[in-house]
Amino acid sequence: MDNQKLQTDFIEIIEDNKKLIYKVSHMYCDNADDVKDLFQDIISNLWIAYPNFQQKSKVSTWIYRVSLNTAITWFRDYTKQSNKIEYTNWIPNIADETDRTVDELCDQLYRAIDTLGKIDKAIIMLFLDDTSYDEIAEIIGLTKTNVATKISRIKLKLKEYLSNN
Amino acid sequence: MEIEELKTIWQQYDNRLDHLEKLNKKLILETLSKKPQKKLNWIKYRSFFSIFMLPVVLTLGLHDLFRIENIDLKFIIGSLLILVFVVIISYLNLKGYMVLKGVDLSNNSIIESARKVTEFKRLFVRKRKFNLMAFPLSFAGILLISWKSFHFDSNTIIFLIGVFVFSLALGYNQLKMYKARIERLEKEIQDLNESIE
């Protein structure tokens, strides 16, 4: 496949799954600059991995895996930003600005999820996104039974946090 | 707020993200062509070069002292101290590099990646601690190796004490600077381990 075709296909995949990358970036960063950096790193890692993507698993599973792995292995402390490409509009904005109550509730939700560990965050995000237990198990590297147990525990933790706050 | 409500909010959030603007194709293409340096690769390369950096710098800096007439007990003890320091630091750098080399974002599960990151962070903490603890010994090592080059008059002694105090202060400052970072990393490692168990 020539490079131009590869790029066109890749951009199409990214466009179709940008919501997912956006959610992961927001889930693992607490300020706008970091979100932008992580979003860019995820795209970069997906592009590097794309030529070897065998389509054995679903595209969304592959994107979840690379995105979450990028977030988990993201070393914000160790690096300098000199090689970053600075784009003010790198992260897409939400065009619909009408419903602010959803934003407030989402902030509450993110705050609750933020109390969880990195892997628990990934599990609950996949769960909330209606990913099947089989797929969660494949992405996270647990058995299906362990996923179910983990989700019950995370639900309890979140419930406890939400009832206290 | 109940869990079911969370799911509803998440769904609303998801619907809201349907309104995300189209990604700027031009910017993505530019990024892909420029291949921005990834954080993980940057750290991987740094770990790789660190394996050789310290031995090379020390060899270049001290090679002039390696003469037959300089070799005595002090020289041998100094060389051993430096050698132990270099071997341990290079070993920790090599281990760190090997851990990062094994990271495969496309095929590793999240738990595998988390384990590797935890291991790398643990090595980073260990290396910093070792650096600070071994500083007086490595200083003594360099001093013993270059013993014959010094004429121990009062100026030299003041100079050496000055260098030692300055380096110690620098080391202490580093310790303070890294203490907070190390504590944060250790907490992160603990969280990751709890998540994995």
Side-chain angles (χ1 to χ4, degrees):
Chain A
M1 203 188 290
D2 66 87
N3 200 42
Q4 197 152 6
K5 170 92 174 73
L6 208 65
Q7 279 184 347
T8 314
D9 290 352
F10 177 74
I11 289 173
E12 205 174 300
I13 288 176
I14 296 299
E15 185 60 49
D16 291 345
N17 292 278
K18 66 184 177 214
K19 276 203 305 189
L20 191 159
I21 304 169
Y22 188 88
K23 283 185 213 168
V24 173
S25 305
H26 270 271
M27 181 77 81
Y28 285 90
C29 298
D30 45 19
N31 70 65
D33 281 344
D34 284 348
V35 171
K36 199 161 65 178
D37 278 357
L38 182 55
F39 193 93
Q40 195 175 327
D41 266 11
I42 291 172
I43 304 263
S44 181
N45 286 331
L46 284 166
W47 173 240
I48 289 164
Y50 184 59
N52 297 322
F53 173 50
Q54 307 284 318
Q55 310 230 344
K56 280 178 192 161
S57 53
K58 279 162 61 183
V59 176
S60 62
T61 307
W62 174 68
I63 293 183
Y64 266 128
R65 193 197 289 267
V66 176
S67 305
L68 288 168
N69 271 332
T70 306
I72 295 266
T73 57
W74 203 55
F75 294 89
R76 109 189 48 175
D77 289 340
Y78 302 85
T79 49
K80 293 180 174 64
Q81 300 294 314
S82 55
N83 287 312
K84 277 280 154 211
I85 297 172
E86 280 301 323
Y87 295 130
T88 48
N89 54 343
W90 176 244
I91 298 274
N93 293 311
I94 299 173
D96 172 24
E97 293 290 338
T98 52
D99 197 356
R100 282 283 166 210
T101 44
V102 177
D103 287 351
E104 280 162 29
L105 287 168
C106 274
D107 280 348
Q108 217 174 327
L109 176 60
Y110 267 112
R111 270 200 299 278
I113 294 174
D114 216 33
T115 59
L116 302 171
K118 284 186 174 179
I119 294 174
D120 286 356
K121 269 186 192 180
I123 295 172
I124 198 66
M125 188 189 142
L126 292 164
F127 169 75
L128 290 170
D129 265 344
D130 280 332
T131 313
S132 71
Y133 278 24
D134 280 325
E135 232 181 310
I136 297 178
E138 189 194 331
I139 295 166
I140 303 291
L142 291 169
T143 61
K144 205 174 154 185
T145 324
N146 276 342
V147 169
T149 316
K150 280 295 252 177
I151 288 174
S152 311
R153 281 192 204 156
I154 296 168
K155 277 183 186 172
L156 279 176
K157 275 191 208 169
L158 286 177
K159 201 172 175 178
E160 199 184 314
Y161 174 85
L162 291 166
S163 58
N164 292 332
N165 293 275
Chain B
M1 197 187 287
E2 290 296 319
I3 294 297
E4 284 317 306
E5 281 179 76
L6 288 185
K7 219 161 179 177
T8 314
I9 295 168
W10 190 260
Q11 196 50 55
Q12 286 174 327
Y13 173 56
D14 191 84
N15 293 340
R16 198 155 147 63
L17 291 182
D18 286 333
H19 298 287
L20 275 176
E21 289 169 350
K22 259 182 101 69
L23 285 168
N24 190 326
K25 195 174 163 183
K26 208 176 133 195
L27 292 184
I28 295 181
L29 283 173
E30 202 180 322
T31 308
L32 301 184
S33 64
K34 281 189 181 173
K35 292 182 184 162
Q37 192 171 13
K38 292 187 302 153
K39 285 181 162 66
L40 193 64
N41 274 350
W42 195 87
I43 301 162
K44 204 189 287 180
Y45 296 139
R46 205 176 69 170
S47 298
F48 180 73
F49 287 115
S50 306
I51 302 169
F52 309 104
M53 192 62 90
L54 189 61
V56 168
V57 167
L58 282 173
T59 309
L60 287 176
L62 301 173
H63 78 282
D64 214 28
L65 300 165
F66 284 86
R67 291 181 192 155
I68 304 258
E69 62 267 27
N70 280 348
I71 296 174
D72 59 5
L73 188 63
K74 285 191 197 82
F75 186 91
I76 292 168
I77 293 171
S79 301
L80 283 176
L81 285 175
I82 293 294
L83 190 69
V84 169
F85 180 76
V86 169
V87 166
I88 293 175
I89 288 290
S90 298
Y91 170 72
L92 290 174
N93 281 327
L94 178 68
K95 267 187 95 173
Y97 171 72
M98 294 309 283
V99 169
L100 289 185
K101 200 168 169 272
V103 174
D104 179 351
L105 301 174
S106 200
N107 294 310
N108 284 164
S109 68
I110 308 303
I111 286 184
E112 278 175 283
S113 297
R115 283 215 170 99
K116 284 169 187 166
V117 172
T118 307
E119 178 62 18
F120 181 78
K121 287 181 175 179
R122 215 174 260 145
L123 284 166
F124 178 83
V125 171
R126 211 184 295 168
K127 199 171 76 182
R128 289 291 160 204
K129 280 182 179 169
F130 176 77
N131 259 338
L132 292 166
M133 283 189 305
F135 165 72
L137 290 178
S138 53
F139 185 86
I142 291 176
L143 193 65
L144 289 171
I145 286 176
S146 42
W147 193 266
K148 287 195 173 166
S149 319
F150 290 116
H151 300 286
F152 284 95
D153 53 20
S154 52
N155 280 346
T156 314
I157 292 169
I158 290 169
F159 171 75
L160 285 175
I161 291 172
V163 170
F164 184 75
V165 170
F166 175 75
S167 308
L168 210 62
L170 209 69
Y172 177 72
N173 240 5
Q174 266 202 335
L175 177 70
K176 267 193 355 191
M177 202 172 78
Y178 281 111
K179 207 177 161 209
R181 184 184 281 189
I182 287 169
E183 277 167 7
R184 207 170 62 237
L185 286 178
E186 277 174 347
K187 179 156 186 335
E188 219 175 291
I189 288 167
Q190 198 186 334
D191 285 350
L192 277 173
N193 281 338
E194 278 169 14
S195 286
I196 291 167
E197 276 158 18

